[in-house]
Amino acid sequence: MAFENIIKFIRELYNQPEGFIPLHAPVFNGNEKRYLDECIDTTFVSSVGKFVDKFEEEIAKFTGATKAVSCVNGTNALHLALMLVGVERDTEVITQPLTFIATANAISYCGAKPVFLDVDMDTMGLSPESLRKWLEENVSLGQSNSLPTNRITGKRITACVPMHTFGHPCRIDEIVDICNEFNIPVVEDAAESLGSYYKGKHTGTFGKVGVMSFNGNKILTTGGGGMLLFNDVELATRAKHLTTQAKVPHLWEFNHDAIGYNYRMPNINAALGLAQLELLPKFLQSKRKIAERYEQFFSSHHRIIASSHQQITFVSEPSNSNSNYWLNCILFNSKEERNAFLKYSNDNGVMTRPTWTLMNELPMFANCQTDELKISKDIADRLVNLPSSAMHK
Ligand SMILES: *Cc1c(COP(=O)(O)O)cnc(C)c1O
């Protein structure tokens, strides 16, 4: 059976003839222990310490953002980003339905409602064509510089959140241009795309705010953690203030000038992150090699796979971009074949996964406005994520 060949290939790739192969496992073979020891030895394990500042500086340097502000996780970084650009209760935020739940949840934390628009086939991220079409058909532009209003619901559109799916950059420059035309601020969900570039520029630096995640399954981990990326220094200063309970700096007095949040990243997490960031170039290299091997396998072994009438397409990085290949993706011909493969591989100890259930199909978001979502539905039916951990070297 052809599925067998795929499993055999993955086991060879990871040099693991038996046992469980996870989808994405972290690799710790740098300065992780040394930096963590330093936190404990100096007692700086919590929200004050040199690793937090250093990690923020190094992420800013790596991505080319003017300023980076760390958070406890990617979800609360998204929440804060949306508040910073002015998302309010009873407004609407445009995003894609093909995303992890955190994107839609963060919109809900602000009391806003998502509008789900379709993605492109090649990037799997928000489609500039879908965005323009929906805006032209559904919104009224207000006065100059004021937010547009959804003609159907009467609500203001306060942000647009494109996501760089599985690390593949979406057509972010076109999305930002369209949003600028309509006065809509862009928050880039770059949670999966650290190390991914679009037209030579790092993802997460195109919009007003970019958001990253360093959860355990991401390309780099801090245990749990997130980061906000800014070009606007004033907005970054505001972000730092809000993540630290909006406390007015003073040696002994406790004063707060707004409702703030305890969203700071602890020093031990930043220590882990800094050690991981030193390894990132190696991770990226390793992941690119893995992607190349998958791509080669799925094109050259087409014959073997096709013998059982299956056509499998490897999703390679879209044009104009350099992807981190966070999670490798293949597309089957049909949902039935896809599901059969998911069962076969997981039964045989190789972890594979379909994409997330589309957000608009979840009960909390079932009544949200959408466009046709033709491509999102197609991808959700046919996609499989393959094991993609970086190699230990
Ligand atoms: C991982 C992820 C997040 C949130 O990150 P956490 O750190 O797990 O809170 C947000 N959006 C997307 C698309 C993600 O994949």
Side-chain angles (χ1 to χ4, degrees), residues 174-278:
E174 292 168 71
I175 291 169
V176 168
D177 284 348
I178 294 166
C179 286
N180 283 344
E181 252 179 73
F182 285 83
N183 297 321
I184 302 169
V186 173
V187 169
E188 251 179 291
D189 187 343
E192 306 179 353
S193 64
L194 175 59
S196 299
Y197 298 80
Y198 187 72
K199 295 185 178 168
K201 199 173 155 186
H202 200 284
T203 52
T205 63
F206 288 80
K208 211 162 177 187
V209 191
V211 173
M212 290 188 159
S213 164
F214 312 117
N215 189 34
N217 61 347
K218 297 282 157 58
I219 188 161
L220 172 167
T221 188
T222 59
M227 192 72 83
L228 294 156
L229 303 179
F230 299 93
N231 297 314
D232 177 340
V233 177
E234 240 172 82
L235 208 58
T237 307
R238 180 83 190 143
K240 193 73 188 173
H241 188 58
L242 289 176
T243 60
T244 50
Q245 302 281 30
K247 185 177 180 295
V248 182
H250 193 280
L251 265 182
W252 59 86
E253 278 178 11
F254 273 81
N255 276 311
H256 306 263
D257 60 8
I259 293 178
Y261 300 82
N262 184 11
Y263 279 2
R264 293 169 298 183
M265 177 183 281
N267 203 43
I268 43 170
N269 299 86
L272 192 56
L274 191 64
Q276 287 267 287
L277 189 55
E278 292 167 359

Side-chain angles (χ1 to χ4, degrees), residues 97-165:
L98 187 77
T99 186
F100 177 56
I101 187 74
T103 321
N105 276 346
I107 294 168
S108 308
Y109 300 161
C110 298
K113 201 167 171 173
V115 172
F116 298 112
L117 302 184
D118 210 0
V119 297
D120 281 325
M121 195 70 208
D122 57 340
T123 69
M124 300 180 288
L126 186 64
S127 158
E129 282 81 20
S130 306
L131 177 63
R132 178 175 290 285
K133 183 162 182 280
W134 187 85
L135 286 171
E136 282 176 353
E137 288 172 2
N138 288 273
V139 311
S140 306
L141 268 176
Q143 311 280 352
S144 65
N145 290 329
S146 73
L147 295 160
T149 304
N150 182 334
R151 282 198 293 266
I152 295 161
T153 61
K155 293 188 174 158
R156 282 174 308 139
I157 315 283
T158 44
C160 174
V161 190
M163 198 275 277
H164 302 290
T165 311

